[in-house]
């Protein structure tokens, strides 16, 4: 786990596109938040491959896994970049996954503003993201594995990473109301 955590520390990007004059003002629209340019560039190289990701603020982390083509960080998808915007706009569907605790950990809800079609909200800190390549935590070529094997490796490594950060007294956003 220490190798993965070191990778995360050294290989992360600002998560959100921000106002060029204010690096703590995240921009989004009715479809979702925008990745920062650096996060978008790196994500485009890994999004179709199995991977783990860690999105984090100063002391709040979300650890996730992906093995689906196109990844899980899509603006138009009711997940992560999309659901965060829907949470702020109060347009979530009843069966959506709840992400309000992410908003509360990383953003100042009361600062939400609309200027034309661009919305913005103040961040409490620079929120970062790291995408961890499958080969780093598995030492295997995913192209030679079955979907079930990939899912098992991703699930197991995600669980270990959550436990490791949990031992570090980090606020894990995977588990609501846990510190």
């Amino acid at each position: 786990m220490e190798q993965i955590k070191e990778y995360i520390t050294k290989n992360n990007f600002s998560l959100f596109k921000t106002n060029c004059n204010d690096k703590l003002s995240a921009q989004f629209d009715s479809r979702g938040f925008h990745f920062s340019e650096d996060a978008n560039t790196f994500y485009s190289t890994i999004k179709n491959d199995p991977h783990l990701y860690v999105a984090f603020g100063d002391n709040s982390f979300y650890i996730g896994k992906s093995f689906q083509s196109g990844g899980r960080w899509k603006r138009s998808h009711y997940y992560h970049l999309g659901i965060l915007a829907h949470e702020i706009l109060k347009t979530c569907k009843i069966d959506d996954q709840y992400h309000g605790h992410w908003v509360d950990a990383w953003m100042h809800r009361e600062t939400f503003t609309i200027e034309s079609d661009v919305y913005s909200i103040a961040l409490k800190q620079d929120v970062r993201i790291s995408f961890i390549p499958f080969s780093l935590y598995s030492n295997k070529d995913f192209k030679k594995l079955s979907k079930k094997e990939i899912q098992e490796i991703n699930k197991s490594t995600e669980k270990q990473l959550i436990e490791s950060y949990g031992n570090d007294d980090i606020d894990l956003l995977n588990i609501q109301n846990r510190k």
Side-chain angles (χ1 to χ4, degrees):
M1 279 304 106
E2 292 310 310
Q3 178 187 9
I4 296 170
K5 289 166 83 173
E6 183 177 327
Y7 177 89
I8 293 164
T9 299
K10 292 180 179 178
N11 298 278
N12 62 74
F13 312 94
S14 287
L15 173 58
F16 302 114
K17 176 182 177 183
T18 58
N19 182 312
C20 60
N21 297 323
D22 184 356
K23 297 301 179 195
L24 290 179
S25 179
Q27 295 182 326
F28 64 106
D29 59 26
S30 61
R31 288 181 47 223
F33 279 83
H34 301 270
F35 263 144
S36 70
E37 188 175 324
D38 290 340
N40 192 53
T41 298
F42 188 83
Y43 190 60
S44 68
T45 68
I46 198 170
K47 68 182 181 183
N48 293 315
D49 299 342
H51 61 276
L52 297 177
Y53 50 86
V54 178
F56 58 96
D58 293 335
N59 196 38
S60 56
F61 284 55
Y62 181 81
I63 298 131
K65 60 189 174 304
S66 179
F67 50 84
Q68 64 195 49
S69 182
R72 299 182 70 102
W73 289 86
K74 300 174 186 171
R75 280 178 17 86
S76 60
H77 190 273
Y78 262 80
Y79 207 76
H80 300 348
L81 293 174
I83 196 71
L84 289 172
H86 289 287
E87 175 66 34
I88 293 164
L89 297 170
K90 297 180 177 18
T91 57
C92 292
K93 298 181 284 187
I94 299 259
D95 59 344
D96 285 336
Q97 213 177 44
Y98 178 73
H99 280 58
H101 57 299
W102 292 24
V103 174
D104 295 335
W106 296 336
M107 302 170 189
H108 296 285
R109 285 183 189 259
E110 69 279 4
T111 65
F112 165 60
T113 59
I114 302 172
E115 291 182 29
S116 186
D117 292 335
V118 177
Y119 310 156
S120 66
I121 192 165
L123 299 172
K124 293 179 178 178
Q125 69 262 322
D126 182 23
V127 181
R128 312 290 293 175
I129 190 159
S130 179
F131 302 103
I132 304 114
F134 187 80
S135 60
L136 181 77
Y137 56 89
S138 71
N139 293 319
K140 298 182 181 187
D141 180 356
F142 70 87
K143 294 175 184 158
K144 295 180 180 178
L145 300 174
S146 69
K147 182 177 179 178
K148 184 175 180 179
E149 290 171 314
I150 293 168
Q151 289 173 327
E152 288 173 5
I153 291 168
N154 270 7
K155 185 176 181 179
S156 171
T157 308
E158 176 194 41
K159 181 180 177 192
Q160 291 173 51
L161 199 53
I162 288 169
E163 288 172 359
S164 180
Y165 278 117
N167 292 334
D168 293 343
D169 197 32
I170 297 291
D171 182 13
L172 293 170
L173 300 177
N174 299 69
I175 306 162
Q176 294 177 37
N177 301 319
R178 178 172 179 243
K179 197 155 188 162

